[in-house]
Amino acid sequence: SIVIFLQKHPCGIELDLDSIANIQSSAITNTGWTTTEARSILHQCSTLLSSVYLHITEGSLGFANEQERNTNAKFIAYLISDFIKSSGN
């Protein structure tokens, strides 16, 4: 599998916020992974792989209200914390 191949090599993890339901992003949608699923996938990848960086992409707060900005900021902080805690770096 691809995970077994990647375990042997340093790699980065890229998480596109467009793929997560109801998160402010460049292409906000009500379909996609839940925030809990996204955090779980990130945890699994950073635990199993020799991940050297996390790249969170496509976040956009252009039309967001204050509550939405706070929700996004909190979610991204959780992602960063999950990555740091689960990676062996």
Side-chain angles (χ1 to χ4, degrees):
S1 87
I2 192 71
V3 172
I4 293 170
F5 171 76
L6 289 176
Q7 283 179 323
K8 300 174 185 176
H9 307 283
C11 65
I13 297 173
E14 184 162 328
L15 181 58
D16 188 332
L17 295 182
D18 288 340
S19 66
I20 302 168
N22 302 314
I23 288 293
Q24 291 294 315
S25 66
S26 63
I28 190 169
T29 181
N30 61 356
T31 62
W33 292 330
T34 66
T35 55
T36 302
E37 290 169 332
R39 290 182 67 193
S40 177
I41 291 165
L42 175 63
H43 172 77
Q44 290 173 26
C45 288
S46 57
T47 299
L48 295 173
L49 301 174
S50 179
S51 51
V52 294
Y53 68 88
L54 171 63
H55 185 200
I56 300 170
T57 67
E58 299 300 327
S60 177
L61 300 175
F63 296 105
N65 62 37
E66 184 177 355
Q67 181 180 358
E68 292 166 333
R69 286 192 299 272
N70 291 341
T71 298
N72 262 39
K74 188 174 183 178
F75 177 62
I76 291 169
Y78 280 136
L79 292 173
I80 294 168
S81 176
D82 292 341
F83 175 75
I84 291 170
K85 287 190 284 187
S86 59
S87 65
N89 303 330

